[in-house]
mmCIF file of all heavy atoms in Angstrom:
data_model
loop_
_atom_site.group_PDB
_atom_site.id
_atom_site.type_symbol
_atom_site.label_atom_id
_atom_site.label_comp_id
_atom_site.label_asym_id
_atom_site.label_seq_id
_atom_site.Cartn_x
_atom_site.Cartn_y
_atom_site.Cartn_z
ATOM 1 N N LEU A 1 -8.972 6.692 -20.492
ATOM 2 C CA LEU A 1 -9.832 7.378 -21.444
ATOM 3 C C LEU A 1 -10.007 6.494 -22.679
ATOM 4 O O LEU A 1 -9.038 5.941 -23.190
ATOM 5 C CB LEU A 1 -9.195 8.706 -21.834
ATOM 6 C CG LEU A 1 -10.099 9.818 -22.347
ATOM 7 C CD1 LEU A 1 -11.093 10.226 -21.282
ATOM 8 C CD2 LEU A 1 -9.256 11.002 -22.784
ATOM 9 N N SER A 2 -11.221 6.360 -23.167
ATOM 10 C CA SER A 2 -11.497 5.601 -24.381
ATOM 11 C C SER A 2 -12.241 6.503 -25.352
ATOM 12 O O SER A 2 -13.274 7.078 -25.013
ATOM 13 C CB SER A 2 -12.340 4.358 -24.067
ATOM 14 O OG SER A 2 -12.613 3.637 -25.254
ATOM 15 N N CYS A 3 -11.689 6.651 -26.558
ATOM 16 C CA CYS A 3 -12.262 7.557 -27.553
ATOM 17 C C CYS A 3 -12.452 6.814 -28.878
ATOM 18 O O CYS A 3 -11.899 5.737 -29.088
ATOM 19 C CB CYS A 3 -11.349 8.768 -27.793
ATOM 20 S SG CYS A 3 -10.947 9.715 -26.303
ATOM 21 N N THR A 4 -13.201 7.436 -29.769
ATOM 22 C CA THR A 4 -13.367 6.922 -31.124
ATOM 23 C C THR A 4 -12.529 7.767 -32.073
ATOM 24 O O THR A 4 -12.516 8.993 -31.973
ATOM 25 C CB THR A 4 -14.842 6.987 -31.560
ATOM 26 O OG1 THR A 4 -15.629 6.234 -30.638
ATOM 27 C CG2 THR A 4 -15.026 6.409 -32.956
ATOM 28 N N CYS A 5 -11.796 7.121 -32.975
ATOM 29 C CA CYS A 5 -10.981 7.847 -33.960
ATOM 30 C C CYS A 5 -11.871 8.312 -35.103
ATOM 31 O O CYS A 5 -12.512 7.503 -35.772
ATOM 32 C CB CYS A 5 -9.874 6.931 -34.487
ATOM 33 S SG CYS A 5 -8.815 7.729 -35.712
ATOM 34 N N HIS A 6 -11.906 9.634 -35.323
ATOM 35 C CA HIS A 6 -12.712 10.204 -36.401
ATOM 36 C C HIS A 6 -11.923 11.322 -37.069
ATOM 37 O O HIS A 6 -11.597 12.331 -36.450
ATOM 38 C CB HIS A 6 -14.036 10.749 -35.861
ATOM 39 C CG HIS A 6 -14.914 11.372 -36.912
ATOM 40 N ND1 HIS A 6 -15.452 10.647 -37.947
ATOM 41 C CD2 HIS A 6 -15.320 12.648 -37.084
ATOM 42 C CE1 HIS A 6 -16.168 11.448 -38.718
ATOM 43 N NE2 HIS A 6 -16.097 12.674 -38.218
ATOM 44 N N ASN A 7 -11.595 11.120 -38.349
ATOM 45 C CA ASN A 7 -10.827 12.112 -39.118
ATOM 46 C C ASN A 7 -9.530 12.498 -38.415
ATOM 47 O O ASN A 7 -9.135 13.666 -38.393
ATOM 48 C CB ASN A 7 -11.661 13.361 -39.394
ATOM 49 C CG ASN A 7 -12.789 13.098 -40.368
ATOM 50 O OD1 ASN A 7 -12.709 12.184 -41.196
ATOM 51 N ND2 ASN A 7 -13.853 13.885 -40.283
ATOM 52 N N GLY A 8 -8.874 11.505 -37.823
ATOM 53 C CA GLY A 8 -7.590 11.764 -37.184
ATOM 54 C C GLY A 8 -7.682 12.426 -35.831
ATOM 55 O O GLY A 8 -6.674 12.839 -35.274
ATOM 56 N N GLU A 9 -8.887 12.537 -35.288
ATOM 57 C CA GLU A 9 -9.084 13.181 -33.994
ATOM 58 C C GLU A 9 -9.822 12.231 -33.056
ATOM 59 O O GLU A 9 -10.687 11.464 -33.491
ATOM 60 C CB GLU A 9 -9.916 14.471 -34.150
ATOM 61 C CG GLU A 9 -9.279 15.536 -35.012
ATOM 62 C CD GLU A 9 -8.339 16.423 -34.230
ATOM 63 O OE1 GLU A 9 -8.116 16.127 -33.042
ATOM 64 O OE2 GLU A 9 -7.847 17.396 -34.804
ATOM 65 N N PRO A 10 -9.531 12.291 -31.736
ATOM 66 C CA PRO A 10 -10.307 11.515 -30.777
ATOM 67 C C PRO A 10 -11.636 12.200 -30.489
ATOM 68 O O PRO A 10 -11.680 13.390 -30.191
ATOM 69 C CB PRO A 10 -9.410 11.481 -29.535
ATOM 70 C CG PRO A 10 -8.524 12.670 -29.672
ATOM 71 C CD PRO A 10 -8.400 12.994 -31.122
ATOM 72 N N GLU A 11 -12.721 11.461 -30.605
ATOM 73 C CA GLU A 11 -14.049 12.012 -30.343
ATOM 74 C C GLU A 11 -14.843 11.038 -29.482
ATOM 75 O O GLU A 11 -14.502 9.869 -29.349
ATOM 76 C CB GLU A 11 -14.793 12.276 -31.655
ATOM 77 C CG GLU A 11 -14.179 13.395 -32.484
ATOM 78 C CD GLU A 11 -15.046 13.803 -33.653
ATOM 79 O OE1 GLU A 11 -16.085 13.144 -33.871
ATOM 80 O OE2 GLU A 11 -14.690 14.771 -34.348
ATOM 81 N N MET A 12 -15.936 11.534 -28.904
ATOM 82 C CA MET A 12 -16.853 10.737 -28.078
ATOM 83 C C MET A 12 -16.070 9.955 -27.017
ATOM 84 O O MET A 12 -16.147 8.730 -26.946
ATOM 85 C CB MET A 12 -17.683 9.799 -28.951
ATOM 86 C CG MET A 12 -18.605 10.538 -29.916
ATOM 87 S SD MET A 12 -19.662 9.452 -30.885
ATOM 88 C CE MET A 12 -18.463 8.660 -31.925
ATOM 89 N N CYS A 13 -15.323 10.687 -26.200
ATOM 90 C CA CYS A 13 -14.457 10.049 -25.209
ATOM 91 C C CYS A 13 -15.228 9.726 -23.930
ATOM 92 O O CYS A 13 -16.069 10.495 -23.482
ATOM 93 C CB CYS A 13 -13.281 10.966 -24.874
ATOM 94 S SG CYS A 13 -12.220 11.294 -26.298
ATOM 95 N N VAL A 14 -14.925 8.583 -23.366
ATOM 96 C CA VAL A 14 -15.510 8.145 -22.107
ATOM 97 C C VAL A 14 -14.371 7.785 -21.167
ATOM 98 O O VAL A 14 -13.412 7.126 -21.565
ATOM 99 C CB VAL A 14 -16.432 6.921 -22.311
ATOM 100 C CG1 VAL A 14 -16.978 6.436 -20.974
ATOM 101 C CG2 VAL A 14 -17.566 7.266 -23.261
ATOM 102 N N ALA A 15 -14.477 8.228 -19.909
ATOM 103 C CA ALA A 15 -13.414 7.965 -18.939
ATOM 104 C C ALA A 15 -13.893 6.946 -17.916
ATOM 105 O O ALA A 15 -15.021 7.018 -17.436
ATOM 106 C CB ALA A 15 -12.996 9.246 -18.236
ATOM 107 N N ALA A 16 -13.023 6.007 -17.588
ATOM 108 C CA ALA A 16 -13.272 5.096 -16.472
ATOM 109 C C ALA A 16 -12.609 5.674 -15.228
ATOM 110 O O ALA A 16 -11.553 6.302 -15.308
ATOM 111 C CB ALA A 16 -12.689 3.719 -16.783
ATOM 112 N N LEU A 17 -13.259 5.477 -14.082
ATOM 113 C CA LEU A 17 -12.713 5.972 -12.828
ATOM 114 C C LEU A 17 -12.294 4.783 -11.965
ATOM 115 O O LEU A 17 -13.020 3.798 -11.866
ATOM 116 C CB LEU A 17 -13.751 6.814 -12.094
ATOM 117 C CG LEU A 17 -14.250 8.050 -12.854
ATOM 118 C CD1 LEU A 17 -15.304 8.781 -12.045
ATOM 119 C CD2 LEU A 17 -13.098 8.974 -13.193
ATOM 120 N N CYS A 18 -11.121 4.881 -11.351
ATOM 121 C CA CYS A 18 -10.555 3.754 -10.616
ATOM 122 C C CYS A 18 -10.572 4.015 -9.108
ATOM 123 O O CYS A 18 -10.244 5.108 -8.656
ATOM 124 C CB CYS A 18 -9.106 3.515 -11.038
ATOM 125 S SG CYS A 18 -8.898 3.303 -12.809
ATOM 126 N N GLU A 19 -10.933 2.994 -8.343
ATOM 127 C CA GLU A 19 -10.743 3.056 -6.905
ATOM 128 C C GLU A 19 -9.268 2.848 -6.589
ATOM 129 O O GLU A 19 -8.541 2.177 -7.333
ATOM 130 C CB GLU A 19 -11.558 1.963 -6.218
ATOM 131 C CG GLU A 19 -12.981 2.370 -5.902
ATOM 132 C CD GLU A 19 -13.609 1.422 -4.898
ATOM 133 O OE1 GLU A 19 -13.401 1.623 -3.690
ATOM 134 O OE2 GLU A 19 -14.289 0.483 -5.337
ATOM 135 N N ARG A 20 -8.833 3.395 -5.466
ATOM 136 C CA ARG A 20 -7.459 3.147 -5.036
ATOM 137 C C ARG A 20 -7.327 1.671 -4.684
ATOM 138 O O ARG A 20 -8.314 1.003 -4.341
ATOM 139 C CB ARG A 20 -7.112 4.011 -3.825
ATOM 140 C CG ARG A 20 -8.013 3.799 -2.638
ATOM 141 C CD ARG A 20 -7.599 4.655 -1.468
ATOM 142 N NE ARG A 20 -6.382 4.146 -0.846
ATOM 143 C CZ ARG A 20 -5.731 4.776 0.116
ATOM 144 N NH1 ARG A 20 -6.141 5.965 0.527
ATOM 145 N NH2 ARG A 20 -4.653 4.254 0.647
ATOM 146 N N PRO A 21 -6.127 1.122 -4.748
ATOM 147 C CA PRO A 21 -5.943 -0.289 -4.401
ATOM 148 C C PRO A 21 -6.230 -0.528 -2.921
ATOM 149 O O PRO A 21 -5.865 0.277 -2.066
ATOM 150 C CB PRO A 21 -4.479 -0.551 -4.750
ATOM 151 C CG PRO A 21 -3.835 0.795 -4.700
ATOM 152 C CD PRO A 21 -4.869 1.775 -5.154
ATOM 153 N N GLN A 22 -6.885 -1.620 -2.644
ATOM 154 C CA GLN A 22 -7.260 -1.933 -1.270
ATOM 155 C C GLN A 22 -6.045 -2.411 -0.470
ATOM 156 O O GLN A 22 -5.176 -3.115 -0.992
ATOM 157 C CB GLN A 22 -8.345 -3.022 -1.262
ATOM 158 C CG GLN A 22 -9.630 -2.612 -1.970
ATOM 159 C CD GLN A 22 -10.276 -1.391 -1.321
ATOM 160 O OE1 GLN A 22 -10.493 -1.377 -0.111
ATOM 161 N NE2 GLN A 22 -10.577 -0.384 -2.128
ATOM 162 N N GLY A 23 -5.986 -2.017 0.805
ATOM 163 C CA GLY A 23 -4.910 -2.481 1.673
ATOM 164 C C GLY A 23 -3.563 -1.907 1.340
ATOM 165 O O GLY A 23 -2.528 -2.499 1.653
ATOM 166 N N CYS A 24 -3.525 -0.745 0.712
ATOM 167 C CA CYS A 24 -2.250 -0.124 0.321
ATOM 168 C C CYS A 24 -2.352 1.373 0.590
ATOM 169 O O CYS A 24 -3.264 2.045 0.102
ATOM 170 C CB CYS A 24 -1.964 -0.398 -1.148
ATOM 171 S SG CYS A 24 -0.340 0.157 -1.692
ATOM 172 N N GLN A 25 -1.415 1.906 1.362
ATOM 173 C CA GLN A 25 -1.450 3.321 1.717
ATOM 174 C C GLN A 25 -0.737 4.193 0.688
ATOM 175 O O GLN A 25 -1.184 5.269 0.340
ATOM 176 C CB GLN A 25 -0.822 3.516 3.109
ATOM 177 C CG GLN A 25 -1.589 2.822 4.221
ATOM 178 C CD GLN A 25 -3.030 3.309 4.316
ATOM 179 O OE1 GLN A 25 -3.293 4.512 4.255
ATOM 180 N NE2 GLN A 25 -3.957 2.369 4.457
ATOM 181 N N GLN A 26 0.427 3.732 0.228
ATOM 182 C CA GLN A 26 1.211 4.486 -0.766
ATOM 183 C C GLN A 26 1.313 3.645 -2.036
ATOM 184 O O GLN A 26 1.662 2.462 -1.977
ATOM 185 C CB GLN A 26 2.603 4.805 -0.224
ATOM 186 C CG GLN A 26 2.584 5.750 0.966
ATOM 187 C CD GLN A 26 4.001 6.035 1.454
ATOM 188 O OE1 GLN A 26 4.813 5.124 1.603
ATOM 189 N NE2 GLN A 26 4.301 7.304 1.681
ATOM 190 N N TYR A 27 1.058 4.278 -3.158
ATOM 191 C CA TYR A 27 1.058 3.522 -4.412
ATOM 192 C C TYR A 27 1.347 4.460 -5.578
ATOM 193 O O TYR A 27 1.305 5.694 -5.452
ATOM 194 C CB TYR A 27 -0.288 2.818 -4.613
ATOM 195 C CG TYR A 27 -1.464 3.760 -4.586
ATOM 196 C CD1 TYR A 27 -1.891 4.390 -5.743
ATOM 197 C CD2 TYR A 27 -2.124 4.034 -3.394
ATOM 198 C CE1 TYR A 27 -2.953 5.266 -5.720
ATOM 199 C CE2 TYR A 27 -3.191 4.911 -3.356
ATOM 200 C CZ TYR A 27 -3.604 5.532 -4.530
ATOM 201 O OH TYR A 27 -4.652 6.412 -4.504
ATOM 202 N N ARG A 28 1.633 3.867 -6.685
ATOM 203 C CA ARG A 28 1.894 4.626 -7.914
ATOM 204 C C ARG A 28 1.006 4.072 -9.021
ATOM 205 O O ARG A 28 0.908 2.856 -9.209
ATOM 206 C CB ARG A 28 3.367 4.502 -8.311
ATOM 207 C CG ARG A 28 3.726 5.271 -9.593
ATOM 208 C CD ARG A 28 5.209 5.204 -9.917
ATOM 209 N NE ARG A 28 5.645 3.821 -10.129
ATOM 210 C CZ ARG A 28 6.508 3.181 -9.364
ATOM 211 N NH1 ARG A 28 7.021 3.793 -8.294
ATOM 212 N NH2 ARG A 28 6.862 1.934 -9.612
ATOM 213 N N LYS A 29 0.368 4.967 -9.794
ATOM 214 C CA LYS A 29 -0.457 4.540 -10.920
ATOM 215 C C LYS A 29 0.422 4.267 -12.133
ATOM 216 O O LYS A 29 1.382 4.987 -12.387
ATOM 217 C CB LYS A 29 -1.484 5.619 -11.269
ATOM 218 C CG LYS A 29 -2.564 5.790 -10.227
ATOM 219 C CD LYS A 29 -3.742 6.578 -10.780
ATOM 220 C CE LYS A 29 -3.324 7.974 -11.213
ATOM 221 N NZ LYS A 29 -4.495 8.753 -11.693
ATOM 222 N N ASP A 30 0.073 3.260 -12.882
ATOM 223 C CA ASP A 30 0.764 2.994 -14.145
ATOM 224 C C ASP A 30 0.337 4.055 -15.156
ATOM 225 O O ASP A 30 -0.856 4.277 -15.366
ATOM 226 C CB ASP A 30 0.401 1.600 -14.658
ATOM 227 C CG ASP A 30 1.287 1.162 -15.825
ATOM 228 O OD1 ASP A 30 1.333 1.904 -16.818
ATOM 229 O OD2 ASP A 30 1.903 0.098 -15.728
ATOM 230 N N PRO A 31 1.290 4.755 -15.799
ATOM 231 C CA PRO A 31 0.908 5.849 -16.704
ATOM 232 C C PRO A 31 0.274 5.383 -18.010
ATOM 233 O O PRO A 31 -0.301 6.191 -18.719
ATOM 234 C CB PRO A 31 2.249 6.557 -16.972
ATOM 235 C CG PRO A 31 3.283 5.511 -16.748
ATOM 236 C CD PRO A 31 2.758 4.620 -15.657
ATOM 237 N N LYS A 32 0.368 4.084 -18.331
ATOM 238 C CA LYS A 32 -0.143 3.623 -19.618
ATOM 239 C C LYS A 32 -1.154 2.493 -19.500
ATOM 240 O O LYS A 32 -1.654 2.014 -20.512
ATOM 241 C CB LYS A 32 1.013 3.186 -20.519
ATOM 242 C CG LYS A 32 1.911 4.348 -20.932
ATOM 243 C CD LYS A 32 2.892 3.965 -22.013
ATOM 244 C CE LYS A 32 3.722 5.161 -22.450
ATOM 245 N NZ LYS A 32 4.665 4.811 -23.538
ATOM 246 N N GLU A 33 -1.446 2.043 -18.272
ATOM 247 C CA GLU A 33 -2.419 0.970 -18.076
ATOM 248 C C GLU A 33 -3.514 1.456 -17.126
ATOM 249 O O GLU A 33 -3.231 1.950 -16.034
ATOM 250 C CB GLU A 33 -1.756 -0.282 -17.503
ATOM 251 C CG GLU A 33 -0.722 -0.925 -18.431
ATOM 252 C CD GLU A 33 -1.371 -1.657 -19.597
ATOM 253 O OE1 GLU A 33 -2.595 -1.886 -19.554
ATOM 254 O OE2 GLU A 33 -0.645 -1.989 -20.552
ATOM 255 N N CYS A 34 -4.753 1.316 -17.551
ATOM 256 C CA CYS A 34 -5.875 1.790 -16.747
ATOM 257 C C CYS A 34 -6.048 0.934 -15.495
ATOM 258 O O CYS A 34 -6.034 -0.299 -15.572
ATOM 259 C CB CYS A 34 -7.147 1.759 -17.588
ATOM 260 S SG CYS A 34 -8.599 2.382 -16.731
ATOM 261 N N CYS A 35 -6.215 1.601 -14.369
ATOM 262 C CA CYS A 35 -6.491 0.951 -13.075
ATOM 263 C C CYS A 35 -5.432 -0.067 -12.686
ATOM 264 O O CYS A 35 -5.720 -1.082 -12.054
ATOM 265 C CB CYS A 35 -7.868 0.287 -13.097
ATOM 266 S SG CYS A 35 -9.216 1.464 -13.255
ATOM 267 N N LYS A 36 -4.190 0.196 -13.075
ATOM 268 C CA LYS A 36 -3.074 -0.664 -12.653
ATOM 269 C C LYS A 36 -2.198 0.121 -11.707
ATOM 270 O O LYS A 36 -1.797 1.236 -12.023
ATOM 271 C CB LYS A 36 -2.287 -1.149 -13.877
ATOM 272 C CG LYS A 36 -1.169 -2.122 -13.522
ATOM 273 C CD LYS A 36 -0.461 -2.609 -14.787
ATOM 274 C CE LYS A 36 0.657 -3.565 -14.445
ATOM 275 N NZ LYS A 36 1.364 -4.037 -15.672
ATOM 276 N N PHE A 37 -1.908 -0.445 -10.535
ATOM 277 C CA PHE A 37 -1.169 0.264 -9.498
ATOM 278 C C PHE A 37 0.029 -0.561 -9.040
ATOM 279 O O PHE A 37 0.011 -1.785 -9.120
ATOM 280 C CB PHE A 37 -2.060 0.532 -8.278
ATOM 281 C CG PHE A 37 -3.300 1.310 -8.576
ATOM 282 C CD1 PHE A 37 -4.481 0.656 -8.921
ATOM 283 C CD2 PHE A 37 -3.289 2.688 -8.543
ATOM 284 C CE1 PHE A 37 -5.629 1.372 -9.184
ATOM 285 C CE2 PHE A 37 -4.442 3.405 -8.815
ATOM 286 C CZ PHE A 37 -5.621 2.750 -9.146
ATOM 287 N N THR A 38 1.032 0.138 -8.549
ATOM 288 C CA THR A 38 2.154 -0.504 -7.865
ATOM 289 C C THR A 38 2.135 -0.025 -6.422
ATOM 290 O O THR A 38 2.189 1.176 -6.171
ATOM 291 C CB THR A 38 3.494 -0.140 -8.515
ATOM 292 O OG1 THR A 38 3.459 -0.556 -9.891
ATOM 293 C CG2 THR A 38 4.657 -0.818 -7.811
#
């Protein structure tokens, strides 16, 4: 999620959507990095 900081609040948020990693059946998403998988 990417937002603009306005008066201490996140506004005008845009979300990126990630494809699952190729060639991997089981994986874990990184909770703090966008589109990063293990």
Side-chain angles (χ1 to χ4, degrees):
L1 204 62
S2 179
C3 304
T4 302
C5 180
H6 179 64
N7 291 334
E9 298 274 6
E11 292 190 355
M12 296 183 292
C13 297
V14 177
L17 300 178
C18 306
E19 273 196 84
R20 58 179 287 173
Q22 299 299 308
C24 186
Q25 297 301 315
Q26 295 180 314
Y27 56 88
R28 180 176 61 244
K29 291 196 299 183
D30 191 304
K32 293 190 177 182
E33 296 286 347
C34 182
C35 295
K36 184 178 179 181
F37 303 90
T38 301

